[in-house]
Amino acid sequence: MICIVCPMGCHIKVVENMESEDGYDVEGNKCPRGRTYGIKEMTCPTRVVPTTVKIENAFLKRLPVKTDEAIPKELIFECMEIINEVVVQAPVRVGDIIIENILDTGANVVATRSMDKIQEVK
């Protein structure tokens, strides 16, 4: 696999080894973070989920959001079902929590762009 922790993009190989302290051997990583990443990918892969939600009374129709922490990979589709039902009202600021503690993961869905409320034209 390719390590995505830093820009190096090391090609790492992770092999189960019950004689090892943590149960895995990792080869090809150029830094200790690669080892941690490889083992985590084998035992409990997680991802940050970037997407959009509907927004009303704003210049644009969609607000970019993301989870503020990585969530278990197997929960991404369930997470997206919840996110796709959300409609927020402008104004919104970067970092505003849109959904708190999604699926009890401890991760919040937060705005990644500010959007002001549009003024009604009379």
Side-chain angles (χ1 to χ4, degrees), residues 62-98:
R62 306 290 294 185
L63 173 72
V65 297
K66 70 175 184 111
T67 55
D68 61 0
E69 296 178 21
I71 66 168
K73 204 172 171 182
E74 68 267 9
L75 295 179
I76 291 175
F77 287 109
E78 191 176 351
C79 177
M80 286 304 302
E81 287 176 9
I82 294 168
I83 292 170
N84 287 335
E85 296 298 317
V86 171
V87 179
V88 297
Q89 298 293 319
V92 176
R93 297 286 156 244
V94 170
D96 284 356
I97 295 175
I98 306 303

Side-chain angles (χ1 to χ4, degrees), residues 3-17:
C3 179
I4 60 172
V5 176
C6 75
M8 295 284 290
C10 297
H11 291 259
I12 60 175
K13 180 178 178 180
V14 183
V15 179
E16 192 171 12
N17 177 0

Side-chain angles (χ1 to χ4, degrees), residues 48-72:
V48 169
V49 179
T51 187
T52 61
V53 296
K54 295 175 187 172
I55 186 167
E56 294 180 343
N57 302 317
F59 176 68
L60 299 173
K61 301 293 182 200
R62 306 290 294 185
L63 173 72
V65 297
K66 70 175 184 111
T67 55
D68 61 0
E69 296 178 21
I71 66 168

